[in-house]
Amino acid sequence: MENEASALTNAPKPRNSFTGSLGFVLAAAGSAVGLGNIWRFPYLAAKDGGGLFLVVYLVLAITFGFTLLITEIAIGRKTQESPLTAYKKINKGWGFLGIFSFVVPFIIYPYYCVIGGWVIKYMATYLAFQGQAAVQDGFFGGFITAQWQPIFFTVLFALLCFVIVYKGVEQGIEKYSKVLMPILAIIVVFIAIYSLFIKYTDPATGVTRTGLQGAAIYFIPDFHGLTVKKFLTVCLDAMGQLFYSLSIAMGIMVAYGSYMKKDVNLGKSVNQIEIFDTGIAMLAGLMIIPAVFAFSGREGMSAGPGLVFVALPKVFESLGKFGEFLGLIFFVMLLFAALTSAVSLLEAITSSMMDKFKWSRKKSTVVMAAAAGVVSLIVCLGYNVFYFDLTLPNGSVGQILDILDYASNNILMPVVGILTCILIGWVAKPKTAIEEITLNGEKFGRQGLYIVMIKFVAPILLFVILLTGLGII
C-alpha cells in the first residue's frame, strides 16, 4: 500500500488539454491569424496581380501549408510534449531540432510584443478621438523613436499575454480564444463590407474611385506583363506568406497539438484551421485594398507595412466622425489578432520550460515573460538609444527588430521546416504522422499527396525560401 501511495504521488500530472475540437481550432486559428494576415497578405496580393496571388496561395495552402501544419500538430499530439522536447521523443538523435523550435518563438515573441504595443498606441489614439493626429506626418516615426512611450505600450501588451498564458490552457488560452476570435471575425466582415461601398472623388483630378473597383483589382487575376520570373516571384511571396501565416516552424503547433485530446479528429481540425486562417486573410485584403484604392489609387496599395500604420489612418481621417469609429474598431480587431498570436508564442516557450525542467506553469510563465521582456526593452531602444542601420543579406536595411525578424523568418524557420520534413519524411518515416492522423480510424484523403509533399516537394520549396531569404536567389 505504501509503495502504491508513493507511486501515485510521484506519477506525472495529467497534461492540460483543450476541452474539445472547437477550443483547439479557435486557439490554433488565433495563433495563425496574426498581424501578418492583416497587413502583409493584402500588400502582397496588391503587388502580385491580385487574383493571381490568391489562386497560387490557395493551391499552396491545400498542399504545402497543409502538409507542414498537420505534421507539427501530429508530432505534438503523438509525443504529448512541447517543441523543445517533442522531437527527441520521435527520434533520440534529433533533440537539436527541438532547440531550434524553441529559439524561434523566443526570438519572435519579444519584438511581436513591441509591435503589439504600437497597435495599442493607435487604438488608444482613436479611443481618445484623436484620429486626426494619427495621419500627421511623423506621427508613427515620432512615436517609435520616443524613449518611454513605446516601452509603456509594449509592457501593457506583454502583460495581457502574460495573464492569459499564466491562467493555463483551458482557463486562459482556450477561454480567451473563444471570445476574441468570433469578435475578430465579425469586425473583419463588417469593415470588409463597408469598404466595398466607399466612393471618393479626388479633388485634384476630379476622378471618382470606388471600393468595388479596388475589389476588382484584388480578385481578378492580372496577367499583364506576366513573365516566368514574375510568376516565380508570386509563388515565392505566396509560400513565404503561407509559411508565416500558419504559424509553421515556430514550435506553436507542436505545443498546441500536445494539448489536443486523442479522440479529436486531427485531419478535420487542421482543415478548419486552414479555412479560418485563409478566410480571415482574404477578408483582410477585402477590408484594406478597396478602401486604400478608393482614396489613394494603385499607388496607395504599394505602401507595404505602412498600409496599417500610415495609409489606413488617412482613409479613416477622410471619413470624418465615422472614420474615428471605424479606426477604433479596426485597431481593436488588430489588437485581438496580435494578442492571440503573441499568446501562442509565449505558450510555446513556457510549455517547453515546463516539460524540460518540470517547472510549474506559474514559474515557467514568469521566467519566460521576464526574459522576453528584457529583449523587448532592447528592441524598443533600437529606435533611439541603440539605433543603427544594418544592411541584411536580402538587401533590406533594418534595426534590432528587423534583424530579429530576419533571423527568425528568413533563416531559422525555413531550417526548422526542412529538418522537420527530413525527420518525418526520411528518418521516422511518414507513417509516424499518418498513424496519429488516423488514430481513431479516420480517413486520410490526402495521404498520397502528404507522403509526396513531406518527402520531396515541401523540403525543396523550403530550401528555395531559405535561399531567397539569404539573398542567394
Side-chain angles (χ1 to χ4, degrees):
M1 287 294 289
E2 191 175 318
N3 290 337
E4 287 179 13
S6 176
L8 287 172
T9 303
N10 295 323
K13 293 180 181 178
R15 192 170 187 81
N16 289 330
S17 63
F18 295 110
T19 56
S21 176
L22 178 63
F24 168 75
V25 169
L26 287 177
S31 170
V33 176
L35 295 174
N37 286 59
I38 308 301
W39 67 259
R40 196 168 183 268
F41 187 94
Y43 156 64
L44 290 175
K47 179 177 81 74
D48 290 336
L52 176 62
F53 175 84
L54 297 184
V55 171
V56 172
Y57 184 89
L58 288 172
V59 170
L60 289 171
I62 61 176
T63 54
F64 174 69
F66 172 82
T67 299
L68 297 177
L69 184 61
I70 202 167
T71 297
E72 292 198 359
I73 293 174
I75 289 172
R77 194 173 76 167
K78 188 179 190 70
T79 62
Q80 293 289 288
E81 297 278 345
S82 61
L84 184 59
T85 53
Y87 294 95
K88 189 176 182 179
K89 208 165 179 180
I90 295 291
N91 185 287
K92 288 184 178 180
W94 283 71
F96 68 94
L97 181 51
I99 297 173
F100 286 157
S101 294
F102 170 79
V103 170
V104 171
F106 185 78
I107 290 176
I108 296 175
Y109 176 69
Y111 75 75
Y112 211 98
C113 283
V114 174
I115 300 173
W118 298 352
V119 175
I120 294 180
K121 165 65 177 177
Y122 272 76
M123 187 184 76
T125 301
Y126 279 95
L127 190 61
F129 302 104
Q130 296 296 315
Q132 68 277 6
V135 301
Q136 299 302 313
D137 291 336
F139 177 82
F140 179 64
F143 164 62
I144 65 171
T145 55
Q147 193 160 331
W148 297 109
Q149 267 204 62
I151 294 174
F152 170 76
F153 285 107
T154 296
V155 170
L156 194 58
F157 181 85
L159 281 173
L160 292 173
C161 297
F162 173 81
V163 169
I164 295 173
V165 174
Y166 189 83
K167 287 187 174 183
V169 177
E170 186 178 331
Q171 292 302 312
I173 298 168
E174 180 176 350
K175 182 179 178 181
Y176 286 93
S177 294
K178 283 182 174 179
V179 174
L180 296 180
M181 293 310 294
I183 295 174
L184 184 151
I186 290 169
I187 293 175
V188 170
V189 170
F190 170 75
I191 299 178
I193 293 173
Y194 179 81
S195 293
L196 291 175
F197 298 98
I198 290 176
K199 181 182 288 188
Y200 177 73
T201 301
D202 192 327
T205 62
V207 175
T208 298
R209 292 184 294 267
T210 67
L212 285 171
Q213 290 174 320
I217 292 173
Y218 178 49
F219 281 116
I220 299 174
D222 180 10
F223 298 106
H224 180 71
L226 182 65
T227 61
V228 173
K229 184 177 180 180
K230 186 176 178 182
F231 180 72
L232 290 176
T233 299
V234 174
C235 293
L236 282 171
D237 283 347
M239 271 195 296
Q241 172 62 23
L242 188 67
F243 192 59
Y244 187 75
S245 174
L246 290 175
S247 297
I248 297 165
M250 298 183 192
I252 294 168
M253 292 305 170
V254 175
Y256 278 11
S258 73
Y259 301 138
M260 187 185 204
K261 289 184 176 179
K262 290 287 188 177
D263 60 354
V264 171
N265 188 320
L266 197 155
K268 184 178 178 182
S269 295
V270 170
N271 289 336
Q272 291 169 344
I273 294 167
E274 280 203 302
I275 291 169
F276 200 106
D277 175 72
T278 305
I280 292 292
M282 294 183 72
L283 281 170
L286 193 60
M287 172 177 65
I288 291 173
I289 290 177
V292 173
F293 174 81
F295 289 97
S296 307
R298 286 182 177 269
E299 297 76 20
M301 297 195 302
S302 61
L307 268 176
V308 168
F309 294 111
V310 180
L312 272 179
K314 291 181 179 178
V315 172
F316 299 142
E317 194 266 343
S318 65
L319 296 173
K321 290 295 182 183
F322 184 72
E324 293 271 356
F325 169 72
L326 202 60
L328 174 60
I329 64 169
F330 173 81
F331 282 105
V332 167
M333 176 272 301
L334 198 61
L335 174 62
F336 288 176
L339 196 57
T340 51
S341 292
V343 161
S344 66
L345 290 164
L346 180 56
E347 177 61 27
I349 57 178
T350 296
S351 63
S352 291
M353 292 297 98
M354 292 167 64
D355 288 339
K356 178 67 175 177
F357 300 111
K358 308 306 175 186
W359 290 353
S360 67
R361 171 168 290 275
K362 291 181 179 179
K363 179 179 179 180
S364 300
T365 309
V366 169
V367 172
M368 287 295 96
V374 173
V375 182
S376 293
L377 176 62
I378 295 171
V379 172
C380 286
L381 296 178
Y383 290 97
N384 41 71
V385 177
F386 299 142
Y387 179 83
F388 62 89
D389 278 333
L390 180 70
T391 301
L392 299 169
N394 62 358
S396 63
V397 178
Q399 292 79 45
I400 295 174
L401 186 151
D402 304 287
I403 293 169
L404 293 177
D405 182 64
Y406 173 80
S408 57
N409 286 277
N410 294 70
I411 300 175
L412 287 173
M413 285 169 59
V415 167
V416 169
I418 292 168
L419 291 174
T420 300
C421 288
I422 294 172
L423 172 61
I424 300 300
W426 298 96
V427 179
K429 306 300 182 184
K431 65 179 177 59
T432 305
I434 293 170
E435 285 173 357
E436 189 63 31
I437 296 166
T438 59
L439 185 64
N440 305 303
E442 299 95 340
K443 290 183 179 180
F444 187 17
R446 283 182 268 181
Q447 182 171 318
L449 172 67
Y450 175 80
I451 294 172
V452 172
M453 290 297 298
I454 197 71
K455 293 185 73 171
F456 306 106
V457 182
I460 293 172
L461 294 180
L462 288 165
F463 187 63
V464 171
I465 291 175
L466 178 61
L467 293 180
T468 304
L470 292 172
I472 296 174
I473 59 174

